[in-house]
Amino acid sequence: MRLFWLKLVMLAVTVLSLQSAFAQDKRVALVIGNADYRNIFKLKNPVNDATDIGAALSRMGFSVTMLNNATAEQMHDALAAFGGKAKQADYAVVFYAGHAIQAHGVNWLIPVDGSVDTLLDVANHSITLDEIVGQMAGAEQLAVVLLDAARNNPFPESKTLPRTTPQAATPKNLLIGYATGPGQKVSDGEGRDSPYTRALLRHIETPGLDVADLVKRVRDDVVKATAAKQIPFFHMSGPDEAVYLVPPR
């Protein structure tokens, strides 16, 4: 009985310590899971992926905006509102699971009502990664974008470069985690979540884990889970010192 109470006290101290650490900074997150597509085949995992990542971020002290099966208008509106919150935040995170393509060096995230007959249709009815990054420029400590989406191009014959929205600014400390490499598809896996999201959930709440080490662990787990058929990539700019999504205990 004494051991039980000792463990309970230790757990309470840990929770209070984390809450104290989180209270020192402002954290906001936008989490989107698109699965129920109208003009392209439906996906099985993204809503689960978004729900589980959103819950993890909430436990980590983030104020989370959830958006599932979002139309183009809903994604644009949510991103604009999130940009206002990110300007006042220390940490800003965007997670997206759903259909996406990469062409001409641009990543387009496709809403559930998006038209996908041509590359121009995709560009006119989707959100670009640059738009997301631009809305996160105000984050003081760290901006993180996590994309559980494909990066292949189903329109390789297209010679027309669609017009994209110029990126207004870039966060000073930016991490972009891609579920796969350029030109590659992603795996749904066999369980509730995709291999990439499952790896994120395994590591993202680890106290004292530098974000650079976080994405490396996620990469290694996905490579192992998919027998190297899917290899996550990441891009990071600054800072030189370690940055933690969950502070060391």
Side-chain angles (χ1 to χ4, degrees):
M1 190 67 176
R2 178 178 297 178
L3 180 60
F4 168 79
W5 284 109
L6 178 60
K7 290 182 178 179
L8 187 61
V9 170
M10 292 175 64
L11 176 61
V13 169
T14 299
V15 171
L16 289 174
S17 297
L18 288 175
Q19 289 178 339
S20 176
F22 293 148
Q24 297 176 14
D25 52 55
K26 183 174 181 181
R27 299 161 167 252
V28 296
L30 174 62
V31 177
I32 303 173
N34 285 346
D36 193 13
Y37 283 88
R38 305 171 189 176
N39 304 312
I40 192 172
F41 63 89
K42 300 181 188 326
L43 299 171
K44 68 174 186 177
N45 293 121
V47 172
N48 293 339
D49 296 335
T51 299
D52 294 344
I53 289 293
L57 290 171
S58 293
R59 291 191 295 269
M60 295 160 61
F62 283 83
S63 173
V64 179
T65 299
M66 291 290 305
L67 201 61
N68 287 326
N69 295 319
T71 64
E73 182 179 4
Q74 289 171 334
M75 288 180 69
H76 278 290
D77 290 347
L79 184 58
F82 180 73
K85 297 176 182 178
K87 291 178 182 178
Q88 310 298 322
D90 297 292
Y91 292 82
V93 173
V94 172
F95 173 86
Y96 172 82
H99 278 305
I101 73 166
Q102 179 176 303
H104 300 296
V106 180
N107 290 270
W108 280 281
L109 314 186
I110 304 175
V112 293
D113 62 342
S115 179
V116 293
D117 292 332
T118 68
L119 182 56
L120 285 175
D121 287 334
V122 172
N124 290 331
H125 297 91
S126 302
I127 305 291
T128 68
L129 174 59
D130 283 349
E131 290 178 77
I132 293 175
V133 171
Q135 291 287 3
M136 304 172 77
E140 182 64 27
Q141 297 296 326
L142 182 67
V144 178
V145 184
L146 301 170
L147 300 181
D148 195 347
R151 301 176 68 192
N152 63 311
N153 178 12
F155 309 102
E157 71 284 356
S158 176
K159 304 299 182 183
T160 304
L161 178 61
R163 181 183 302 175
T164 59
T165 302
Q167 183 177 311
T170 302
K172 62 181 182 180
N173 298 322
L174 172 66
L175 169 66
I176 302 177
Y178 301 94
T180 192
Q184 301 301 308
K185 297 181 180 180
V186 293
S187 170
D188 285 332
E190 300 298 330
R192 169 182 170 84
D193 299 307
S194 73
Y196 183 70
T197 292
R198 191 160 59 247
L200 278 171
L201 292 169
R202 186 176 296 120
H203 299 293
I204 198 170
E205 295 181 77
T206 303
L209 181 62
D210 178 31
V211 290
D213 293 327
L214 165 65
V215 289
K216 291 175 184 177
R217 289 190 185 184
V218 169
R219 177 197 61 200
D220 293 345
D221 282 5
V222 174
V223 169
K224 182 178 180 180
T226 64
K229 294 179 181 178
Q230 179 178 331
I231 303 176
F233 274 56
F234 67 91
H235 163 81
M236 187 167 184
S237 59
D240 293 332
E241 67 275 6
V243 179
Y244 312 107
L245 288 177
V246 179
R249 291 174 179 168

